[in-house]
Amino acid sequence: NAYDMNVLPRRKKIFPWLKSKDDGIKLLARLTKTFEESASFDAALSAFSAWMADYLDAAGNGIYLWQAGDSRFALFASSGNNALFLRYPRLLLDECSQCGLSTLEFSTFELPAAAHLANAHPLLRACLEAGMASLAALPLWAHGRLHGMTLLLSARHHHADDDERAFFRVAAQHVRFAAETSLMIERFEQEAAVKSAQLQEYEEKY
């Protein structure tokens, strides 16, 4: 008896997060250039969010900044699927874990069928309803402190192999270095502006 191929379950095709291997090098180069040329750390992150999809197979991304005082992430910028990100403008650390995402290193999570998400975090159910199939998170660390994370959404199934995970570790190092440099320059300029204002006030007074 021959099997009817029309009723057999089809094997899911798995895609890498990078659109091509060459795009990895291009992304790192543009990332460095963006942080070097942006007027501020915030401006660099906004630009990063805007062009990220040029190199990654993502239907949307949201950049969340860590608010240490409230112990949670707050949405800073998003591109693609904005309505979905705006439904979840804040995320706790525990909520990231519930979504299968790590804030220590690059992590990716493939959404299961709806029947398996009955008791899952609402964000996962919302992603599935929006036609998404995978999520990924790239944490942002600088000066030994968590500054935020980039949340990626994709309508395709993704699985990061060892080579791609190695790339994202390198990407995280580039982001960390660029962020530390940008924050240091920003702090120096702010301190210089304060001292200049104090000097001007002193000269006008005397």
Side-chain angles (χ1 to χ4, degrees), residues 123-163:
L123 173 59
L124 296 181
R125 297 199 297 272
C127 287
L128 195 64
E129 291 168 2
M132 299 298 104
S134 302
L135 290 80
L138 180 65
L140 167 59
W141 287 79
H143 301 294
R145 294 189 297 119
L146 179 63
H147 275 265
M149 71 169 176
T150 298
L151 183 60
L152 303 173
L153 305 179
S154 178
R156 301 209 284 187
H157 294 281
H158 292 280
H159 173 74
D161 60 17
D162 291 342
D163 288 343

